[in-house]
Amino acid sequence: LPEEPLPPGLPSCPLPGKICDVARGERPGSCCGMAMAGLRTAKYQLPEWHRRNARVYNRAYAVGEESERGRAEAKHLTKHAAACAQRAQEYSKTTLAQRLQDIHFWRVELQKEIVELDAETNLLAAQKLRLERTLDATEVPYGVVTDNLQCRERRQPPDLVIDEVERQLLKEADLIRNIRDLLKRTIIQATNQIRSNRIQKEFCELDWSDKVETYHIDDKCVGYSNDSTDIQAHPSSVKFEENASTPKTWAQFSHDNIYSAEQEKLASVQLRSLINNIIHDVSEDLRMQRATVNEAFDNHCRELDDAKLRLEQHLEKILKDIGEEEANIVALKKAIRDKETHLKVAQTRLYDRSFRPNIELCKDEPQFRLVSEVEELTVFLEALKRKLMESEQCLKNLEETRMKLEKEIAVKANSIFIDREKCMTFRIRYPVDLEVASYK
């Protein structure tokens, strides 16, 4: 406010001294006496009267000037205060409107992040469901492989060997176990990411909710005017709260929430891509291993068929040899009996000729011939008997070989039945594609 001007000065002039002398004895009839001592009872002088009037006029003029000046200053102050108050109110309304724009901007950004993060969380949940279905789908091939290994344990020696089929089945079992472990770890990772997404979404929702409430409050404040009926005096509202934020920290808080939401969303997108790759890769690996095992089964079954066929051919030949050897033994026995009959005839002749009398007991040509015949027949009989023994041993060997061949054929037939009828038939239940199964 402008400094109040001083009142105009009065003309300086010496004032008359106060005369307090009382003329004694001039007025013998005075009753004042000593009680009126010190008070002027005489009349004022004319200059004194003029000066006194001048002082009254000047004082009245000064008071009037001061009053006029005060009224002018009050009027000016009133106009200035009204203008300043109006400007301040308009500026406050403008700042509130700007603040509403800022709040609206962050509210829209937060709402956008909430919607996108919720959609991304739903997509990740769908991928997690695919992982769980893929994990469930691996139970069938693992059961098939386990059953194949258990069935092949029932093969009989010497077919109970660790062949290529066995190695590929064990490799397939290890592959399925590794796939299941990988799927379980990925499911846990997806669960943690979904939890992080929802936590960050909750942070954004809380911030968005605060922004909505603040927007309504500031929008209500923008609508206040001097004519509003719900305005009240709140003298204590001018102080700042100790925990109040600054515009920089306020904007940084929402920025950090949006940035964290973007990071979680990016991590979720990368994890979804990783899940797609994992499902595709494990499906392809399992499909290739399944084809390898089936090929090993086919090759092994062909080998078993060839081996069984060769054994059957050998068995057919052995059976033919056994028949021929049995006929040979019968022929040898008949030959031995015939030769024994011839020997008996010759020996009987020699025996009867030994009874010739006297000089008739001659070593003649028939005698020598009969002796030679007996010796010759004896040699033939020994040879035939040895050959009979050899033939009987050969027949025994042929019978043992026949039994071995029949046993080998039975073993091969059992192995073929296990591999082809049990294992390969059961492998038909094997899922064609895990990636397709993950959508079912």
Side-chain angles (χ1 to χ4, degrees):
L1 295 176
E3 186 177 357
E4 182 180 357
L6 297 175
L10 296 177
S12 59
C13 60
L15 297 178
K18 189 175 182 180
I19 303 174
C20 298
D21 295 338
V22 178
R24 297 177 183 273
E26 293 180 359
R27 298 179 65 186
S30 175
C31 61
C32 293
M34 295 302 294
M36 298 299 291
L39 295 177
R40 181 172 180 170
T41 58
K43 292 181 179 181
Y44 288 96
Q45 299 295 325
L46 185 59
E48 184 179 8
W49 180 79
H50 285 296
R51 285 194 298 271
R52 186 176 182 278
N53 287 337
R55 284 198 303 272
V56 172
Y57 295 154
N58 289 336
R59 181 60 181 170
Y61 178 80
V63 171
E65 288 289 329
E66 183 178 0
S67 176
E68 184 179 358
R69 189 167 53 251
R71 288 194 302 273
E73 291 174 357
K75 184 178 181 181
H76 175 73
L77 179 60
T78 300
K79 291 182 179 180
H80 181 70
C84 289
Q86 186 65 27
R87 286 195 304 270
Q89 192 177 79
E90 291 297 330
Y91 183 71
S92 296
K93 187 174 181 179
T94 302
T95 55
L96 284 172
Q98 181 62 41
R99 184 65 172 175
L100 285 176
Q101 293 180 3
D102 296 341
I103 294 173
H104 178 71
F105 169 77
W106 287 112
R107 185 183 64 179
V108 170
E109 292 296 322
L110 285 168
Q111 186 173 5
K112 177 183 175 183
E113 287 299 324
I114 290 170
V115 172
E116 291 180 356
L117 195 57
D118 184 63
E120 179 59 34
T121 302
N122 292 335
L123 292 176
L124 185 57
Q127 289 294 82
K128 178 192 171 189
L129 182 61
R130 286 188 62 202
L131 283 172
E132 293 172 348
R133 289 172 176 171
T134 304
L135 180 61
D136 294 338
T138 58
E139 294 181 357
V140 174
Y142 190 71
V144 170
V145 173
T146 304
D147 182 78
N148 289 164
L149 290 171
Q150 291 176 351
C151 286
R152 298 190 92 241
E153 289 295 325
R154 295 195 292 270
R155 292 175 298 167
Q156 299 174 359
D159 282 1
L160 189 61
V161 296
I162 303 178
D163 52 5
E164 183 63 21
V165 176
E166 188 89 6
R167 287 190 290 270
Q168 292 299 331
L169 283 172
L170 292 174
K171 184 178 178 181
E172 188 175 33
D174 290 337
L175 176 62
I176 295 175
R177 282 192 291 267
N178 293 334
I179 288 174
R180 291 176 62 85
D181 292 339
L182 176 61
L183 292 175
K184 290 177 182 178
R185 292 196 303 269
T186 310
I187 288 174
I188 294 174
Q189 186 177 355
T191 302
N192 294 333
Q193 185 61 49
I194 290 174
R195 185 183 300 112
S196 299
N197 289 354
R198 289 174 176 169
I199 291 174
Q200 190 58 45
K201 177 192 171 187
E202 184 179 355
F203 288 157
C204 291
E205 286 175 341
L206 291 174
D207 193 6
W208 176 85
S209 177
D210 292 342
K211 293 288 187 297
V212 170
E213 184 177 358
T214 303
Y215 187 88
H216 291 160
I217 292 173
D218 284 353
D219 186 55
K220 182 180 179 182
C221 291
V222 169
Y224 283 141
S225 66
N226 295 335
D227 298 329
S228 300
T229 60
D230 53 349
I231 58 175
Q232 296 179 1
H234 299 282
S236 61
S237 63
V238 296
K239 65 178 182 179
F240 288 104
E241 299 291 337
E242 294 182 357
N243 58 347
S245 61
T246 63
K248 182 178 180 180
T249 58
W250 174 81
Q252 187 65 37
F253 180 78
S254 296
H255 177 271
D256 291 343
N257 282 334
I258 292 175
Y259 177 77
S260 299
E262 288 287 343
Q263 293 299 113
E264 295 297 340
K265 187 169 63 176
L266 179 61
S268 181
V269 170
Q270 293 175 348
L271 182 57
R272 283 197 298 112
S273 177
L274 177 63
I275 290 173
N276 277 331
N277 294 334
I278 287 176
I279 293 177
H280 177 269
D281 292 343
V282 299
S283 177
E284 188 67 17
D285 292 343
L286 199 58
R287 184 190 64 80
M288 294 177 61
Q289 184 60 30
R290 172 177 175 269
T292 302
V293 173
N294 289 343
E295 183 180 1
F297 265 116
D298 290 336
N299 294 335
H300 188 61
C301 287
R302 283 196 297 270
E303 292 175 356
L304 289 174
D305 288 335
D306 293 340
K308 181 173 176 289
L309 180 60
R310 288 195 298 269
L311 289 173
E312 289 174 346
Q313 291 174 351
H314 282 293
L315 178 61
E316 184 179 357
K317 184 176 183 302
I318 290 298
L319 291 175
K320 182 179 178 180
D321 291 340
I322 289 174
E324 293 177 353
E325 194 66 36
E326 288 177 346
N328 183 45
I329 289 173
V330 171
L332 285 173
K333 287 181 177 180
K334 183 177 181 302
I336 290 172
R337 287 195 300 273
D338 292 341
K339 297 301 180 290
E340 287 177 346
T341 302
H342 286 82
L343 181 61
K344 288 178 182 179
V345 171
Q347 288 177 348
T348 302
R349 285 174 177 174
L350 287 173
Y351 178 77
D352 289 344
R353 293 192 81 213
S354 65
F355 289 100
R356 288 177 298 172
N358 301 320
I359 194 66
E360 294 298 326
L361 189 63
C362 178
K363 297 179 180 180
D364 53 6
E365 182 64 23
Q367 187 72 20
F368 286 108
R369 184 58 198 159
L370 286 173
V371 171
S372 176
E373 182 183 4
V374 169
E375 292 177 353
E376 184 177 352
L377 289 173
T378 301
V379 171
F380 280 132
L381 280 173
E382 293 295 330
L384 288 173
K385 288 180 180 179
R386 286 196 301 271
K387 181 57 66 175
L388 178 62
M389 293 178 60
E390 292 176 359
S391 297
E392 289 177 346
Q393 184 63 38
C394 183
L395 179 62
K396 184 178 180 181
N397 293 338
L398 288 173
E399 291 290 344
E400 292 177 354
T401 303
R402 178 185 63 82
M403 293 175 61
K404 290 180 179 180
L405 288 175
E406 289 176 347
K407 184 178 179 180
E408 286 293 328
I409 291 171
V411 169
K412 295 297 183 292
N414 179 67
S415 299
I416 292 172
F417 175 78
I418 290 174
D419 284 352
R420 180 171 290 158
E421 302 299 330
K422 288 288 187 180
C423 296
M424 295 188 69
T425 303
F426 194 58
R427 289 183 70 84
I428 298 176
R429 298 177 54 190
Y430 209 103
V432 178
D433 194 344
L434 289 181
E435 190 169 6
V436 175
S438 65
Y439 290 103
K440 295 181 180 179

